[in-house]
Amino acid sequence: MPRTPDPIEDGLGSLPPPPPVFHVEQALLGALLLEPHRAAGLTGITVEAFSTAGHAALFAAIRSLPAPEPAEHAKTTTWLNQVLNAAGEQTRGLTTAYLHHLIHCCPQPHHAPAYARIIEAEHSRRLLRGAAHRLIQTTLDTSLPHRVATTLAEAGTLTTIVDDIATRFPTRSGPLPRTPATTPVTTHDEEAGEEERLLLATTTARPVSVERMRWLIPGDFTHPLHAGLWQCLTTLTRRGTPIDPVTVLWEAQHHGIAGTAEPRELLGLLYEPDGCDPEHWGEQILQRSLLTTAHHTGRRIEKLTDDPATTTYQLVVGARRALADLSAVRVRWHHATTPPQANAPASKGISAPPRAGPAPTTAPPVARIPR
C-alpha cells in the first residue's frame, strides 16, 4: 500500500531542523490525543503559544471538543477523527498518520503540564523578541510624525510583556544573564554635531540656561569633545564661576580636553551663538540620545532572546536591566519637556499637581512631542 504523503513530515530535507520546542509541542499534543482528559489541567497555555499553524489548530480543536470517556476512547478513533476534522477547518495538511505520529512522540502523557510550561517559556521568548524588534524599527523610522512618543509607547509595550513574563515565571535563584556582546557603533552625524556646537555656543553666551538644563548630561552628546565642553560648562555653573569662551577654555585644560583641539578652534566654536533658545538645542540632543538608547535597549534584549542558553529568568532580569537604562533617559526627557509649573514643588498647604506620567522604574509614559 503506497504511503500517504504528509506535508508536515515530508520535504523537510531542504529546511533547517526544527527547534527543540517543536518536539515538545509534539509530545504535548500526543499526550492530549492519548489522554484527552489532561487538557483540563492546562490553564496557562494558549493557542498562540504554538510555533506552527498545524500544532495550534490541533490544540484549539482538542480544547474545543468535550473529552471522551477513557474506556470508549481506548477502543475507537471517533474522537481523534473529530479532532482532525475540527483542526482541518483551520489549516491544511493534517492527516490521521500525523496524529498517530504525535501519540508516538509522547514519552510520558502525565508529563503534559511540564511540556506545556516549556512551550509557554519559548512563546514568551518569541513575544519578547518581537517587541524588541518593533522597538528597534520604531527608533529608525524617520517617517513617523511623533517618533519619540511612538518609541516610548513601544517601550511601554515591551515593559508590559516583561512584567507579564515575570508574573507567570516567578523569580528564582540562578545565575544572572550574560551581558550580550555588542559592537560599539561610531557614528559621525553632521547634523548632531552641528546641534551640539550650537548648544555649546548659545549656553556660553547665555550661561543661565545651563542651570535650567540639568536634564542634559555629557553622555547625551555624540562627540567626545562636545561632551567634555558641556561638562566644563556644568562644572563652572555649579561653582558659580563667570562663564565665557575664555573661562571655558581654561576649564577644558583642567579637564584634559584642551589638547584635543587647537585653542583657537575651541574659542571659535564657543564664540558662534545663534539666536535660538539654548534649551531648544538641548531638547534636540536629548531626543537623539533617547532614540539611540531605545535602539540599544531593543538590540540588547533581541540578543538575549537569540541566545538559546538564556533561561526565562535570565530574559526577565536582562530585559529589565536594559529597560532601566532607557527609563533613566525617559525621566530626563519628561523633565525637559514638561512645563516648569508641572515640576514645581507645592506651596505650603497646597497639594502639588499630579505628574504627567506614572513613575514605575521601567514603564515609560508617552512624552510630549518635541518642539
Side-chain angles (χ1 to χ4, degrees):
M1 179 178 177
R3 176 180 178 276
T4 303
D6 189 340
I8 297 182
E9 291 294 314
D10 294 345
L12 296 180
S14 60
L15 299 176
V21 71
F22 178 84
H23 302 284
V24 180
E25 292 176 9
Q26 288 185 321
L28 175 62
L29 293 171
L32 301 181
L33 292 171
L34 188 62
E35 299 180 4
H37 67 278
R38 297 192 180 277
L42 306 179
T43 56
I45 189 170
T46 63
V47 171
E48 292 75 17
F50 289 83
S51 62
T52 71
H55 288 176
L58 283 171
F59 184 74
I62 292 170
R63 276 271 177 92
S64 66
L65 295 171
E69 290 294 331
E72 181 67 20
H73 184 57
K75 295 186 296 183
T76 70
T77 61
T78 302
W79 187 79
L80 292 179
N81 293 333
Q82 292 174 349
V83 168
L84 184 60
N85 291 334
E89 295 177 358
Q90 304 299 321
T91 188
R92 300 177 61 183
L94 295 170
T95 65
T96 302
Y98 188 63
L99 265 61
H100 288 285
H101 173 72
L102 291 174
I103 292 173
H104 287 293
C105 286
C106 178
Q108 297 290 344
H110 64 277
H111 289 170
Y115 303 151
R117 194 66 168 167
I118 294 171
I119 296 169
E120 287 181 65
E122 194 59 24
H123 178 53
S124 297
R125 181 190 300 271
R126 293 196 301 271
L127 286 176
L128 195 57
R129 182 187 295 118
H133 181 72
R134 288 191 297 274
L135 176 61
I136 293 169
Q137 294 305 308
T138 301
T139 64
L140 298 175
D141 189 353
T142 57
S143 68
L144 292 171
H146 308 308
R147 195 171 167 197
V148 171
T150 307
T151 294
L152 291 176
E154 289 292 348
T157 300
L158 179 55
T159 299
T160 300
I161 291 174
V162 174
D163 291 342
D164 180 63
I165 295 173
T167 299
R168 292 188 293 112
F169 295 86
T171 302
R172 57 173 179 77
S173 59
L176 295 177
R178 297 183 295 275
T179 301
T182 56
T183 303
V185 178
T186 302
T187 58
H188 300 282
D189 189 329
E190 184 57 36
E191 181 182 359
E194 181 62 21
E195 289 173 353
E196 292 170 4
R197 288 188 290 270
L198 288 168
L199 171 71
L200 293 170
T202 52
T203 50
T204 301
R206 286 172 272 178
V208 67
S209 60
V210 177
E211 180 67 21
R212 296 197 300 266
M213 285 190 284
R214 292 185 177 183
W215 35 261
L216 192 66
I217 63 174
D220 294 324
F221 289 75
T222 62
H223 196 292
L225 174 60
H226 299 163
L229 289 173
W230 181 252
Q231 182 67 59
C232 294
L233 283 165
T234 55
T235 300
L236 291 172
T237 301
R238 187 168 57 250
R239 290 184 195 151
T241 304
I243 295 176
D244 62 32
V246 174
T247 60
V248 175
L249 176 64
W250 182 248
E251 185 66 24
Q253 177 176 309
H254 294 158
H255 281 257
I257 62 175
T260 61
E262 291 292 332
R264 288 183 182 277
E265 180 184 345
L266 290 178
L267 289 173
L269 186 154
L270 298 171
Y271 266 123
E272 298 176 358
D274 76 338
C276 200
D277 181 3
E279 292 183 59
H280 165 77
W281 300 119
E283 285 189 20
Q284 292 296 108
I285 293 167
L286 183 56
Q287 173 180 303
R288 182 175 284 103
S289 178
L290 186 149
L291 293 172
T292 299
T293 302
H295 181 86
H296 291 165
T297 296
R299 290 288 296 157
R300 283 175 61 184
I301 295 174
E302 193 176 53
K303 281 184 174 291
L304 281 171
T305 61
D306 287 342
D307 184 358
T310 306
T311 66
T312 307
Y313 161 72
Q314 291 172 329
L315 284 176
V316 170
V317 173
R320 282 181 164 169
R321 283 179 176 177
L323 286 165
D325 293 341
L326 177 56
S327 179
V329 185
R330 184 270 303 168
V331 170
R332 293 191 288 112
W333 174 257
H334 171 73
H335 282 290
T337 57
T338 301
Q341 60 271 22
N343 287 320
S347 301
K348 185 175 180 180
I350 301 176
S351 300
R355 294 178 66 93
T361 301
T362 57
V366 175
R368 180 176 69 81
I369 307 305
R371 296 194 294 269

